[in-house]
């Protein structure tokens, strides 16, 4: 097992909904009620129990939605994981630097997973789909955020959907 300050990090191509890990990170929207891309796939494959927990979160502490850069966990439903850690990435902007918010998604997701006792976590390329973040920059920010996170999970897996994202994340995470 990795020490609290060191994690095994892998970068793989695959479907995040098929990862056998303790926690799968969902690139959610602020509503927490499902959407497109990774969010839609997680809700579809995980089943209604994820949506039901998200609705309870919205009825309680997150009445206005989950703020960008924050993270919260729910059950994983039918997914091969124990939890889904929902985080809301920022929409990319050419005129405003939102990279700290994107980095926060990774750090907060690791914090939530650590607090749950997760031994493994799988991340998608947060904000690099519908939210328009350029993949090379998204990968660079992800690598910086994961390597500088205060709380760690022993196994961290970056799961990329296509070859372009895979190449960008492999380059950003590089050999360590």
């Amino acid at each position: 097992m990795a020490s609290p300050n060191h994690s095994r990090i892998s970068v793989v191509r695959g479907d995040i909904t098929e990862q056998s890990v303790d926690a799968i990170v969902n690139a959610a929207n602020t509503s927490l009620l499902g959407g497109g891309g990774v969010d839609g796939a997680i809700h579809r494959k995980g089943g209604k129990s994820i949506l039901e927990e998200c609705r309870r979160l919205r009825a309680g502490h997150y009445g206005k939605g989950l703020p960008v850069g924050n993270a919260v966990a729910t059950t994983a439903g039918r997914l091969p994981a124990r939890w889904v850690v929902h985080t809301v990435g920022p929409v990319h902007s050419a005129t405003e630097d939102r990279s700290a918010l994107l980095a926060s998604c990774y750090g907060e997701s690791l914090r939530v997973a650590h607090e749950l006792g997760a031994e493994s976590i799988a991340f998608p390329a947060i904000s690099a789909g519908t939210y328009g973040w350029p993949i090379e920059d998204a990968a660079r920010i992800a690598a910086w955020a994961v390597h500088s996170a205060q709380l760690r999970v022993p196994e961290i897996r970056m799961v990329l959907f296509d070859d372009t994202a895979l190449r960008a994340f492999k380059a950003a995470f590089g050999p360590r």
Side-chain angles (χ1 to χ4, degrees):
M1 183 171 115
S3 75
N5 294 324
H6 295 89
S7 299
R8 290 184 314 276
I9 301 172
S10 58
V11 178
V12 301
R13 181 172 175 181
D15 179 342
I16 198 157
T17 66
E18 296 175 358
Q19 302 302 305
S20 292
V21 291
D22 289 336
I24 290 174
V25 176
N26 179 18
N29 61 52
T30 59
S31 80
L32 291 175
L33 302 178
V38 169
D39 193 18
I42 284 173
H43 277 272
R44 277 190 305 278
K45 287 192 177 183
K48 66 180 180 177
S49 62
I50 297 173
L51 181 59
E52 288 169 0
E53 266 194 64
C54 286
R55 284 186 175 137
R56 281 193 292 277
L57 288 169
R58 286 298 307 273
H61 186 71
Y62 297 103
K64 294 182 180 178
L66 183 65
V68 173
N70 288 15
V72 66
T74 65
T75 180
R78 296 190 309 256
L79 297 171
R82 294 176 68 188
W83 303 285
V84 172
V85 176
H86 305 267
T87 189
V88 180
V91 173
H92 182 262
S93 170
T95 59
E96 180 184 347
D97 182 5
R98 298 176 179 170
S99 50
L101 288 169
L102 181 54
S104 179
C105 292
Y106 290 94
E108 285 296 297
S109 294
L110 286 169
R111 179 189 61 76
V112 168
H114 175 85
E115 289 174 358
L116 289 168
E119 295 287 318
S120 55
I121 188 169
F123 282 96
I126 299 167
S127 289
T130 307
Y131 287 3
W133 210 286
I135 192 65
E136 291 81 10
D137 196 42
R140 176 189 61 77
I141 293 166
W144 177 86
V146 166
H147 289 300
S148 63
Q150 296 299 309
L151 295 174
R152 297 193 180 263
V153 172
E155 180 189 347
I156 298 171
R157 190 178 308 164
M158 308 306 296
V159 182
L160 295 312
F161 193 72
D162 64 29
D163 288 334
T164 301
L166 180 66
R167 282 190 300 274
F169 273 73
K170 280 192 173 190
F173 278 84
R176 293 267 171 199

